[in-house]
Amino acid sequence: MSGADQAGPIRSILVATDGSAAADEALERALGLAEQTGASVHVLAIVDTTTNPMHFGVKDVDELQRTKERLVDDLVATVADRDLEIQGAIRRGRPANAILAYADENAIDTLVVGRAGRSRVADMLLGSTTDRLLREASIPVVVVPAGDTDDGDESLER
């Protein structure tokens, strides 16, 4: 089992971001949850070069890395005035795999992600990365629908 005891208190929250509106909603929910529980927040962006590795050259990957670093740095700086322990990180690889590996390496006990659509029909319903996280995560996953940053009930799904 990765992360803290699943029945215990929330001590660390991982929010995955890609810079989208859905990811911003997830970050707001994660920050609100952290303020309520005193948990630390990890903001993680993934440089996904696995979709079509022949498409990316070294310069492309380096630029993607710099873009993700700026994204995470900007997000962390934006919330620095909140009384929270927050840190940012960048990983490379397939998004779901990288997110789950980071969660395991850092003893994360709650994962917060946005629900976003992509071009394929299945992805439009939930998002392939989010779907995979729901199926494979051994910790609770909070999926935040677009436009849902109110303090209503979260539904923890596994």
Side-chain angles (χ1 to χ4, degrees):
M1 175 166 77
S2 68
D5 177 32
Q6 293 178 13
I10 297 173
R11 293 186 194 97
S12 58
I13 301 168
L14 173 59
V15 60
T17 186
D18 59 5
S20 67
D24 290 345
E25 297 283 348
L27 178 60
E28 282 303 316
R29 179 55 62 100
L31 294 171
L33 188 56
E35 288 171 338
Q36 292 172 5
T37 63
S40 63
V41 177
H42 296 247
V43 178
L44 177 65
I46 308 300
V47 177
D48 180 6
T49 58
T50 62
T51 305
N52 184 357
M54 300 306 283
H55 177 72
F56 296 106
V58 172
K59 287 183 181 180
D60 296 324
V61 172
D62 289 344
E63 181 56 32
L64 286 169
Q65 178 85 23
R66 284 189 297 276
T67 299
K68 296 292 184 171
E69 287 170 357
R70 284 190 301 270
L71 169 66
V72 169
D73 290 346
D74 289 348
L75 288 173
V76 169
T78 300
V79 300
D81 61 333
R82 292 187 175 185
D83 188 24
L84 295 171
E85 180 186 333
I86 186 164
Q87 63 185 60
I90 309 295
R91 294 289 188 270
R92 290 185 184 184
R94 186 169 305 278
N97 292 350
I99 292 166
L100 293 172
Y102 183 93
D104 190 48
E105 292 162 13
N106 291 278
I108 301 295
D109 53 39
T110 303
L111 178 58
V112 179
V113 293
R115 180 172 58 197
R118 299 281 186 228
S119 59
R120 292 174 290 172
V121 174
D123 290 347
M124 287 189 302
L125 296 175
L126 186 59
S128 62
T129 298
T130 301
D131 178 61
R132 201 154 161 234
L133 292 170
L134 284 169
R135 287 184 285 113
E136 297 180 15
S138 62
I139 58 176
V141 178
V142 177
V143 179
V144 181
D148 187 31
T149 55
D150 67 300
D151 289 340
D153 294 334
E154 289 98 27
S155 126
L156 297 181
E157 300 184 43
R158 300 205 13 136

